[in-house]
């Protein structure tokens, strides 16, 4: 009995790995081509969208980089790294309000996130003091919940 198994998912995974290597070696255009092929098989793979965003940014297509990260944020709304990177891209393109919103979301998701952009966002923001206070509160909650985890977990 002959079984037919689609190799598309396996090829897409290999392409994604190959694209990661292409990104690391600076071949951004080729990486984008390879990732777009993988996207046809795995349209909701956050790693593919992050890779496409990275390649697009390196190719000076900031709008496409943002668009890809917005898709990644919809697919994985609790990914603090995606939110933080979106904040940095929005900040770089002068979209301060969106940058603040994404920075706020990344802080809520991970109060310990070490973002080099966060201090400048907080200082430039009209809501900077409120965000600093929120960040401090969230960090406190994070510390308390980790300390208590051993008692209740």
């Amino acid at each position: 009995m002959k079984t037919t198994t689609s190799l598309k998912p396996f090829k897409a995974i290999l392409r994604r790995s190959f694209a990661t290597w292409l990104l690391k070696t600076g071949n951004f255009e080729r990486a984008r081509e390879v990732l777009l092929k993988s996207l046809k098989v795995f349209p909701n793979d956050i790693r593919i969208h992050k890779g496409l965003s990275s390649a697009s940014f390196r190719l000076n297509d900031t709008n496409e980089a943002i668009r890809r990260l917005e898709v990644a944020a919809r697919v994985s709304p609790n990914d603090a790294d995606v939110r933080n990177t979106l904040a940095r891209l929005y900040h770089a393109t002068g979209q301060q309000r969106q940058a603040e919103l994404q920075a706020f979301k990344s802080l809520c998701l991970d109060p310990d996130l070490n973002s080099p952009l966060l201090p400048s966002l907080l200082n430039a923001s009209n809501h900077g003091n409120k965000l600093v206070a929120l960040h401090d509160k969230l960090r406190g909650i994070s510390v308390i919940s980790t300390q208590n985890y051993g008692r209740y977990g």
Side-chain angles (χ1 to χ4, degrees):
M1 183 171 156
K2 188 176 182 180
T3 59
T4 56
T5 305
S6 174
L7 292 177
K8 284 184 181 181
F10 182 68
K11 286 180 180 178
I13 292 168
L14 287 176
R15 278 191 198 108
R16 188 182 64 215
S17 297
F18 178 53
T20 300
W21 178 79
L22 288 169
L23 285 169
K24 288 180 182 177
T25 59
N27 195 341
F28 307 117
E29 187 63 46
R30 181 75 177 119
R32 185 160 57 177
E33 292 170 13
V34 170
L35 286 166
L36 285 170
K37 288 180 182 177
S38 292
L39 194 62
K40 291 177 184 176
V41 179
F42 295 113
N44 291 327
D45 188 325
I46 188 171
R47 293 165 294 191
I48 294 173
H49 289 287
K50 285 170 124 178
L52 282 167
S53 175
S54 179
S56 297
F57 180 76
R58 297 301 204 120
L59 293 167
N60 296 317
D61 190 352
T62 309
N63 289 334
E64 179 64 12
I66 289 172
R67 191 174 79 74
R68 290 296 174 182
L69 281 179
E70 286 173 343
V71 172
R74 281 193 299 276
V75 170
S76 182
N78 295 330
D79 189 317
D81 182 52
V82 168
R83 301 291 181 175
N84 184 47
T85 306
L86 262 174
R88 292 185 356 222
L89 287 175
Y90 281 131
H91 182 69
T93 58
Q95 299 177 60
Q96 189 63 25
R97 183 83 171 136
Q98 283 290 65
E100 290 173 14
L101 176 64
Q102 294 303 326
F104 173 77
K105 287 180 179 182
S106 70
L107 270 180
C108 289
L109 293 167
D110 185 358
D112 295 321
L113 187 68
N114 189 10
S115 169
L117 174 69
L118 198 54
S120 64
L121 269 177
L122 295 176
N123 292 333
S125 167
N126 293 333
H127 311 292
N129 292 335
K130 291 179 186 175
L131 282 174
V132 169
L134 174 67
H135 180 254
D136 292 343
K137 283 183 185 178
L138 288 171
R139 274 207 143 152
I141 291 169
S142 175
V143 169
I144 291 168
S145 65
T146 349
Q147 289 172 347
N148 291 334
Y149 181 74
R151 291 184 212 165
Y152 306 111

